[in-house]
Amino acid sequence: MLDAFEILTTSGIVLWRRSYAPVPSSVVNSLVGDVFIEDRRPKDAQGQQQTSYKKDKYTLKWTSAKDLGVVFVAVYQSLLHLSWVDNLLTAVKALFTKDYGIELKKAHVTKLNTQPFDATFDALVRKLDTGSTRRQSEADSEGPIELTPPSSAASASEEAVDEPPPPPIPAPQFKKPAVSRKEQFEGTSTDATPVPTPDTSRPSTPASHILTAKSGPGKASRRSRKAQHTLTSAPASSGDESSAGRNKKTATKAKRRWDADGFAVEGEDEVLDYSAAADSQQEQGEREVDVEDVNASQMGSRTGKGQFVLKDLDDEVDAILASSKQQVKPDSTEGDAGLLGSATSRLTGLFRNVVGGKTLTKQDLIQPLQQMQNHLLEKNVAREAAARLCASVEADLLNQRTANFTSIDSTIRESMSKALTRILTPTSSLDLLRDVTTTISPPNPRPYVISIVGVNGVGKSTNLSKIAYFLLQNQFRVLVVAGDTFRSGAVEQLRVHVRNLSELSRREDVGKIELFEKGYGKDAATVARDAVTYATNTAGTEGNGMLFDVVLIDTAGRRHNDTRLMSSLTKFGQLANPDKIFMVGEALVGTDSVAQARNFAKEFVDTKGKLRNNGVGMDGFIISKCDTVGDMVGTLVSMVHATGIPVVFLGVGQHYGDLRGLNVGWAVDKLMK
């Protein structure tokens, strides 16, 4: 992980700084003095000047904007190998000079208001850092895990600093009922019901302190064995233990419920009935909501009409990195020294010239297409989709003449990029904001209904909350429906999300959100229908007379190969009649994504038995956990190729603002890298 990052002038004036660990000031001062003032720059074995500098246990990588006289320095431990720091320097240099270049060119400028650059830098680190060194350093810095509540731990540390930490809480252990020695030796009975033994035969503590004599040779009698068993197993007692044991056996388990913070709340014979309406105002008064603020500017920006649209920092950063690589390639070619280097480059150029202008035959395409198919498989593309993509490329290039000075491999890569672009480009409009605005506007206004489906554990509730935050930024009134009436904790999970989003909307003065729930064990389709009816209630006095503009329906996760569970989606789609049905798929699921997408899509039919949405079933995919797979984003291609349903959103984190729209060029570059 980075220890520090500094932006300073060549004379040593610090313009911006971010520190993750204490770094002596002498480290950066040595870089400024040796490299920029005395011009003693380190060189490699070939005599080329390096952009890295070592001081004590630190490695400093730097780049400079010569026209502005600004230096960008990244400091980290020399034991670490952070290959992504070069990309970080390039991106920071481009973005910083873009934002502050005009001010830096002014005369006598020694101080800048660089506070807004903090968010940009944090976003760059999250994007470019591979995470391996970051997780390791964070795990090392956390120290031992604290098993006591924060309040008690803090008070204990204040009272006695030198007191050792409390021992870890032991895991619950379930003891098997002890079997009496009489049953062991007299096991000839055919009665299946075990004979109850006295409470004193199950001591709570071992009776190892009682000394017994060793048995003599030969087999003891039954009476002696019984007496020995009574002596060793029954400790001296006054009778209190047996009464306590009887009370413990007759006591029933206390009913327990869990609050929104995850703490157990003991109730006195309280029935866990979640169908009753919760008094949210009372809960709000008892406990202040503590939720971290979300920087909406990192998620999107507002247009001239006031709409909040998603943006993606990756587009600008990737363009900066791509342009820097194109500038480095000519320099590295010119830097080839010696007879061997020049001869190799000439032979390579001659070979490329020879293959240019060739008419491609099937024999010419077999091996390159096989390599391309293996490349797609490594990118997590399903074999079925990879094979059909290669077949379409072969049909496009067969008997075609390659361009001059172009190899067969580059021709195939260009054709494959075009094929991937055709697949991922939506054939219909994905402007969700326009659809919502049109639906809730007169003359026939009604709530816009969106349903989220998917297999277990893909992040349906999390991505539903991200969409809700996106809609709140556009001043919509959102009703979240707890349609997962099966999984334990599903209602409580949505209640926490709605509570946090309500607090965020209150702070930012945007939109309105509420939770619609009817507890567990109810029919999900009926709950969804009632929620839509509730949102359409014309008794509301705000806006167009409806209580809510958008209804977001959460559903229970289910295995795509379970026919019984999947069949209930048909009834759900017909009763709720959602405008959009989004399926959440994992970016790391692999080739099973094809079967998941097809099985879910075929369940959404109308009353006439025809697939909705012009025969494709669903309206879009939400690919979650895209921040965990790097450039292996083949799941996008697999699911779209199998169903013809476009990708609408990408989940890139666990915060409410970590939602992005799909950039086709970004996905194609990742797949062809």
Side-chain angles (χ1 to χ4, degrees):
M1 178 179 176
L2 283 179
D3 286 348
F5 195 100
E6 294 191 5
I7 303 176
L8 62 156
T9 63
T10 52
S11 58
I13 300 176
V14 178
L15 301 176
W16 182 87
R17 174 183 294 168
R18 172 58 60 88
S19 298
Y20 298 98
V23 177
S25 59
S26 59
V27 175
V28 181
N29 292 340
S30 299
L31 172 69
V32 176
D34 294 343
V35 176
F36 298 104
I37 296 179
E38 300 181 10
D39 200 15
R40 293 185 300 173
R41 303 189 181 187
K43 297 182 179 180
D44 56 13
Q46 299 179 355
Q48 300 291 331
Q49 291 184 347
Q50 295 181 342
T51 57
S52 62
Y53 177 84
K54 291 189 177 181
K55 177 67 175 178
D56 297 336
K57 62 178 181 179
Y58 297 100
T59 296
L60 292 79
K61 285 195 174 183
W62 56 273
T63 185
S64 61
K66 297 181 180 180
D67 56 337
L68 301 176
V70 179
V71 183
F72 305 85
V73 184
V75 185
Y76 58 92
Q77 300 282 341
S78 298
L79 296 176
L80 302 177
H81 178 67
L82 305 184
S83 58
W84 54 273
V85 170
D86 295 329
N87 292 335
L88 178 65
L89 288 168
T90 303
V92 170
K93 173 185 174 181
L95 295 177
F96 189 84
T97 54
K98 175 184 175 183
D99 295 339
Y100 305 99
I102 298 178
E103 298 182 26
L104 289 172
K105 290 181 180 180
K106 297 179 181 179
H108 309 293
V109 175
T110 59
K111 187 176 180 181
L112 295 175
N113 182 18
T114 56
Q115 184 177 2
F117 192 72
D118 294 347
T120 303
F121 183 81
D122 293 338
L124 284 174
V125 173
R126 286 195 301 269
K127 170 181 169 54
L128 298 177
D129 190 357
T130 55
S132 56
T133 58
R134 179 179 68 247
R135 287 192 295 267
Q136 182 67 26
S137 61
E138 290 176 356
D140 295 341
S141 62
E142 287 177 0
I145 300 176
E146 192 172 324
L147 298 176
T148 55
S151 58
S152 61
S155 60
S157 61
E158 293 175 359
E159 295 174 0
V161 178
D162 299 332
E163 185 177 345
I169 300 175
Q173 298 179 356
F174 301 93
K175 296 182 179 180
K176 295 182 179 180
V179 181
S180 64
R181 296 179 61 89
K182 181 176 180 180
E183 294 177 8
Q184 294 179 3
F185 289 97
E186 299 180 359
T188 58
S189 174
T190 58
D191 190 2
T193 304
V195 180
T197 57
D199 294 331
T200 57
S201 65
R202 300 185 183 92
S204 58
T205 56
S208 58
H209 61 283
I210 301 177
L211 300 179
T212 57
K214 295 184 179 180
S215 58
K219 185 177 181 181
S221 63
R222 179 181 301 175
R223 181 174 298 177
S224 62
R225 289 198 304 269
K226 182 176 181 180
Q228 182 180 2
H229 167 67
T230 305
L231 178 63
T232 57
S233 62
S237 173
S238 60
D240 296 338
E241 291 86 349
S242 60
S243 60
R246 283 192 296 271
N247 293 336
K248 184 176 181 181
K249 290 175 61 178
T250 56
T252 58
K253 181 180 178 181
K255 297 179 180 179
R256 178 177 297 173
R257 63 185 179 89
W258 306 90
D259 63 4
D261 294 327
F263 295 102
V265 179
E266 299 291 345
E268 298 179 357
D269 298 335
E270 181 182 358
V271 179
L272 302 182
D273 184 10
Y274 291 97
S275 59
D279 191 356
S280 59
Q281 296 181 355
Q282 181 179 358
E283 293 181 358
Q284 182 72 16
E286 294 176 355
R287 179 179 60 254
E288 182 180 358
V289 178
D290 184 13
V291 56
E292 183 181 355
D293 290 333
V294 178
N295 189 356
S297 61
Q298 296 182 4
M299 182 183 186
S301 58
R302 297 195 180 276
T303 62
K305 298 180 179 179
Q307 285 187 335
F308 184 84
V309 295
L310 296 177
K311 71 175 183 179
D312 196 355
L313 179 64
D314 298 348
D315 300 339
E316 186 176 4
V317 174
D318 291 338
I320 293 171
L321 298 179
S323 62
S324 65
K325 291 179 180 179
Q326 292 178 358
Q327 294 174 2
V328 171
K329 288 181 179 179
D331 298 338
S332 61
T333 304
E334 295 174 0
D336 290 340
L339 180 61
L340 180 60
S342 60
T344 304
S345 61
R346 290 172 184 171
L347 289 175
T348 305
L350 178 62
F351 175 74
R352 291 177 178 175
N353 294 341
V354 169
V355 297
K358 178 181 177 58
T359 301
L360 298 176
T361 62
K362 188 171 184 178
Q363 191 66 26
D364 296 330
L365 297 174
I366 290 178
Q367 184 176 359
L369 285 177
Q370 183 62 41
Q371 295 176 354
M372 178 59 67
Q373 182 174 343
N374 294 336
H375 172 78
L376 293 177
L377 293 177
E378 293 175 355
K379 295 293 184 179
N380 223 4
V381 179
R383 182 173 295 275
E384 174 186 348
R388 291 188 178 182
L389 282 170
C390 291
S392 64
V393 170
E394 180 182 1
D396 292 339
L397 298 181
L398 193 60
N399 298 327
Q400 296 292 325
R401 188 179 182 88
T402 61
N404 294 330
F405 308 105
T406 305
S407 64
I408 298 177
D409 291 340
S410 61
T411 304
I412 291 178
R413 290 179 64 86
E414 182 180 358
S415 180
M416 180 61 71
S417 298
K418 294 179 180 178
L420 291 172
T421 303
R422 287 195 300 267
I423 288 179
L424 295 177
T425 302
T427 57
S428 58
S429 175
L430 298 180
D431 193 347
L432 184 63
L433 298 179
R434 186 186 65 179
D435 295 342
V436 174
T437 305
T438 304
T439 304
I440 65 176
S441 300
N444 298 316
R446 62 174 181 83
Y448 194 85
V449 183
I450 301 175
S451 178
I452 308 295
V453 298
V455 299
N456 308 77
V458 295
K460 294 183 296 298
S461 301
T462 303
N463 283 278
L464 180 143
S465 303
K466 295 177 183 179
I467 296 176
Y469 180 76
F470 168 61
L471 294 172
L472 287 174
Q473 293 297 318
N474 287 278
Q475 301 294 340
F476 290 126
R477 298 166 297 174
V478 182
L479 179 66
V480 176
V481 183
D484 187 355
T485 61
F486 176 78
R487 176 174 63 90
S488 299
V491 177
E492 289 79 5
Q493 180 184 9
L494 284 181
R495 186 179 297 138
V496 171
H497 282 309
V498 171
R499 184 195 66 180
N500 295 341
L501 291 172
S502 298
E503 177 63 19
L504 291 174
S505 63
R506 184 190 63 81
R507 295 177 187 175
E508 303 175 14
D509 193 19
V510 291
K512 170 190 173 183
I513 189 169
E514 186 178 314
L515 177 65
F516 184 91
E517 58 167 300
K518 285 196 173 182
Y520 295 98
K522 307 296 191 299
D523 181 45
T526 305
V527 173
R529 182 191 59 188
D530 296 343
V532 175
T533 304
Y534 171 73
T536 319
N537 188 359
T538 56
T541 58
E542 300 180 9
N544 48 25
M546 299 182 300
L547 288 179
F548 295 93
D549 302 318
V550 182
V551 179
L552 294 177
I553 307 175
D554 188 24
T555 60
R558 63 202 77 210
R559 299 192 307 273
H560 62 281
N561 54 1
D562 192 324
T563 307
R564 181 180 61 85
L565 294 177
M566 293 295 293
S567 60
S568 61
L569 289 177
T570 303
K571 176 184 176 183
F572 171 81
Q574 293 175 356
L575 287 183
N577 193 21
D579 297 279
K580 296 288 185 184
I581 298 178
F582 293 148
M583 175 186 171
V584 180
E586 286 181 320
L588 45 80
V589 70
T591 57
D592 194 45
S593 59
V594 174
Q596 292 181 10
R598 286 176 175 168
N599 289 350
F600 270 91
K602 70 179 182 180
E603 296 297 334
F604 294 101
V605 297
D606 55 17
T607 55
K608 298 181 180 179
K610 295 182 180 180
L611 286 175
R612 59 180 301 279
N613 192 22
N614 298 323
V616 296
M618 297 183 297
D619 300 274
F621 292 120
I622 302 174
I623 308 300
S624 63
K625 308 176 186 178
C626 290
D627 55 321
T628 64
V629 295
D631 56 1
M632 299 174 61
V633 293
T635 303
L636 281 70
V637 179
S638 302
M639 301 181 75
V640 175
H641 185 271
T643 59
I645 300 172
V647 174
V648 182
F649 297 115
L650 299 178
V652 295
Q654 301 183 21
H655 298 280
Y656 294 124
D658 293 333
L659 189 69
R660 300 289 184 270
L662 174 64
N663 183 283
V664 178
W666 167 84
V668 174
D669 291 341
K670 291 284 188 182
L671 292 170
M672 299 303 298
K673 182 183 295 185

